[in-house]
Amino acid sequence: MTWRAATRDDLDTYYTDEFPDYVDDLPSFITATGPKQYALAFDHPHPVRKDEVPDKDFVRRDTWQTDAAGERQQAEFDGFDDVLDFIQHPARNDPLGGSEFALADPGLLDQPDPRPDAVYYALDNWERPWVLLVDIDAKTIARERAADALPQDTSDRDDEALLEATGILGAEPAGYPYAFEDIDQAIEYGFEVRDIFADDFDAEKTMVVYSGQGVHVYLLDTDLAHRYDAQSREVLNDLLLESYDIPIDPVVTADRRRVARLPYSLHADVSRIVQPIESPQFDPRTATPAFLD
């Protein structure tokens, strides 16, 4: 189960031939106009139309035009087909349209239309409360495991040196800052968090998503009791980190501006499909895109 990064051709193949088949499987709150933004990361910066503006390797695009009061006026995407067009050909189908801050037309450049190295959507949503997501990363688990394995203080040691010293960097998948056992541990933690949501918070709607290098855990109930504000999310972070000792990224839970990897998008660093999962026994080998078969 060796990991490898996706090539430009791989990305083109996936988003042209495979990803469209998953669109109907997207969670119901991910629509063309629900998330307040979609965002793309590129493996190489791409120019924008305005002179003297740096090339962009990450762009956010609002799903609605708004007035000065922040009220919705005009949708940027008529349907998810428009979102798909933007993902497949970002510069050619940039929602900014004729704006000088849109991505430059590849037909006028010596470089091709960029391909998304990652596809994200905003957790803040027009049609429901701010989505609550907990992020658990295999890299964090590996770093903590490496620190625990060494007898001396490691607080001032470079992560790469620490992972090298403990053999994690050389373990499969070789060269990545974690081992497969750290991914398995992240998945186990994810289902533990899901159980905490159900048992401690009376959550009925939850979802665990394999993110490529860890998991995202969602609490999706929309009733008033589950509309957690920023302060409540900080309390939740403290509970998971301190009481349950689960190594989450607390910023993701508490920051309303955060974006998350779009389910069924491709994690290009490892060539694995981001997807909802139903069991802690989930095997990442089953998240293989067709171009690797």
Side-chain angles (χ1 to χ4, degrees), residues 254-275:
D255 183 0
R256 198 177 192 108
R257 285 274 299 167
R258 297 296 289 198
V259 295
R261 286 185 183 272
L262 183 69
Y264 304 107
S265 64
L266 191 72
H267 194 304
D269 289 347
V270 295
S271 294
R272 289 296 180 273
I273 301 170
V274 176
Q275 60 187 265

Side-chain angles (χ1 to χ4, degrees), residues 176-272:
Y176 285 84
Y178 51 79
F180 283 131
E181 66 181 91
D182 300 306
I183 298 177
D184 293 340
Q185 181 63 69
I187 292 171
E188 289 185 21
Y189 278 138
F191 283 91
E192 184 177 341
V193 171
R194 187 187 70 170
D195 290 342
I196 292 168
F197 284 164
D199 296 340
D200 293 8
F201 296 89
D202 295 324
E204 296 181 358
K205 297 179 182 178
T206 59
M207 180 171 65
V208 180
V209 172
Y210 166 63
S211 63
Q213 298 184 119
V215 293
H216 295 156
V217 191
Y218 291 80
L219 196 165
L220 296 170
D221 291 333
T222 58
D223 58 284
L224 288 175
H226 291 98
R227 293 184 182 181
Y228 297 112
D229 59 14
Q231 185 175 2
S232 300
R233 289 163 185 258
E234 295 287 2
V235 173
L236 173 61
N237 281 337
D238 291 343
L239 176 72
L240 295 176
L241 286 165
E242 298 174 11
S243 298
Y244 288 99
D245 200 26
I246 297 175
I248 69 169
D249 181 344
V251 177
V252 173
T253 309
D255 183 0
R256 198 177 192 108
R257 285 274 299 167
R258 297 296 289 198
V259 295
R261 286 185 183 272
L262 183 69
Y264 304 107
S265 64
L266 191 72
H267 194 304
D269 289 347
V270 295
S271 294
R272 289 296 180 273

Side-chain angles (χ1 to χ4, degrees), residues 80-92:
F80 207 87
D81 283 347
D82 286 352
V83 179
L84 182 59
D85 288 342
F86 174 52
I87 293 170
Q88 291 174 334
H89 301 285
R92 203 178 304 165

Side-chain angles (χ1 to χ4, degrees), residues 46 89-93 103-114:
H46 189 84
H89 301 285
R92 203 178 304 165
N93 298 299
L103 295 169
D105 184 344
L108 304 177
L109 304 172
D110 293 330
Q111 62 188 83
D113 201 5

Side-chain angles (χ1 to χ4, degrees), residues 54-76:
D55 296 354
K56 301 293 185 182
D57 60 6
F58 181 83
V59 296
R60 291 174 179 256
R61 294 295 181 259
D62 294 338
T63 56
W64 285 85
Q65 297 175 19
T66 58
D67 60 19
E71 296 296 324
R72 288 179 284 179
Q73 299 296 309
Q74 176 68 41
E76 294 286 6

